[in-house]
Amino acid sequence: KAFLHHTVHLSCYFPNPQKIDVKNLIIFWQKDTNEVVHEVFYGQEKQENLSPEYINRTKMDMGKWTLQLLNAGVEDEGHYKCVIMQKINERSKEVIHTSGCSLHIIANYSQPEIAELHSGELKPNGYLNLSCSSSGGYPEPKEMTWLISHGNTTHSSMAHMDVSQDAVTKLYNVTSKLNIPVPTKRPTNIRCLLHLREQLGSLVSVPLDI
């Protein structure tokens, strides 16, 4: 997992037990099945075969057998494979190591924010009309819930979540609405909770006191 716009470190996990000189090796990284991400040809980095989106965005640390991918974006998500070949003679070479890893991008959502959609004063027999929004995150969140507390009692309300994805950045914006009768008996505290994926926990709004 890596944060959006940060540098990602992808490892070949190559122990090189025979201490083979890099000048006798071809190392290349590919994404999914068809995109060439990086190539080191007998000690020299080559760019001729790279997919255009990876030109000038990768660096290989030969000491650690690790590829650095700069300015990671959502479109960089996928499965990466490292292949190392050894030169046998002038005409032949053999694969001596392969490894793979999957990259998942994370972008932080803004703190959920509650807005009051009703106009005018709240009346005892009226309805409370609220929305909760959070923006600029990735991946798509799991769900949004509302927490409604009276004194020591809290109950949660599952809510429909409207999700939109920005066509350019691929980041998500989410909104949920809550419509309940105006609480009349005692002070009420309302919060909105955004549950994230990938074991990223959840985000809670600033409470609204009624």
Side-chain angles (χ1 to χ4, degrees):
K1 297 187 180 94
F3 281 101
L4 183 72
H5 301 317
H6 284 223
T7 297
V8 180
H9 298 268
L10 305 171
S11 180
C12 270
Y13 301 106
F14 180 53
N16 195 14
Q18 298 170 305
K19 304 285 183 277
I20 304 166
D21 191 321
V22 72
K23 292 191 173 76
N24 292 318
L25 295 174
I26 296 171
I27 303 137
F28 67 91
W29 282 87
Q30 65 186 65
K31 179 183 173 226
D32 299 325
T33 52
N34 53 359
E35 293 179 278
V36 180
V37 177
H38 195 84
E39 186 175 8
V40 181
F41 194 80
Y42 300 136
Q44 298 295 313
E45 295 188 288
K46 289 178 68 179
Q47 298 219 340
E48 296 93 277
N49 302 321
L50 300 194
S51 295
E53 60 269 33
Y54 293 104
I55 292 173
N56 298 323
R57 285 185 60 218
T58 57
K59 285 194 291 199
M60 186 86 187
D61 181 336
M62 301 309 299
K64 296 179 181 170
W65 303 94
T66 298
L67 183 74
Q68 293 178 32
L69 174 60
L70 310 177
N71 192 25
V74 171
E75 62 281 356
D76 292 320
E77 282 199 319
H79 188 74
Y80 289 78
K81 186 176 179 185
C82 168
V83 179
I84 299 178
M85 292 186 286
Q86 182 178 6
K87 182 178 183 180
I88 304 302
N89 54 45
E90 288 308 317
R91 281 178 302 186
S92 66
K93 49 194 177 287
E94 67 174 354
V95 174
I96 57 169
H97 181 80
T98 61
S99 69
C101 57
S102 291
L103 175 62
H104 299 279
I105 298 298
I106 300 164
N108 287 327
Y109 281 86
S110 62
Q111 183 182 17
E113 201 169 303
I114 295 176
E116 300 184 49
L117 302 178
H118 45 258
S119 55
E121 285 184 39
L122 291 174
K123 295 186 171 59
N125 58 351
Y127 276 82
L128 195 59
N129 197 0
L130 306 174
S131 76
C132 179
S133 303
S134 176
S135 61
Y138 193 90
E140 187 176 347
K142 256 195 251 184
E143 62 189 21
M144 217 174 223
T145 54
W146 291 85
L147 301 175
I148 302 161
S149 306
H150 314 279
N152 294 329
T153 313
T154 298
H155 77 267
S156 66
S157 168
M158 276 290 300
H160 172 72
M161 185 172 66
D162 286 315
V163 180
S164 63
Q165 188 178 25
D166 187 288
V168 178
T169 66
K170 306 296 183 198
L171 302 181
Y172 289 98
N173 302 316
V174 293
T175 302
S176 174
K177 292 194 167 85
L178 179 72
N179 194 287
I180 56 169
V182 172
T184 53
K185 291 178 183 167
R186 54 202 155 174
T188 299
N189 173 289
I190 299 175
R191 287 163 295 154
C192 161
L193 204 58
L194 180 65
H195 303 272
L196 307 173
R197 293 187 189 275
E198 311 272 346
Q199 292 85 48
L200 295 172
S202 52
L203 295 172
V204 65
S205 68
V206 173
L208 176 70
D209 294 310
I210 304 294

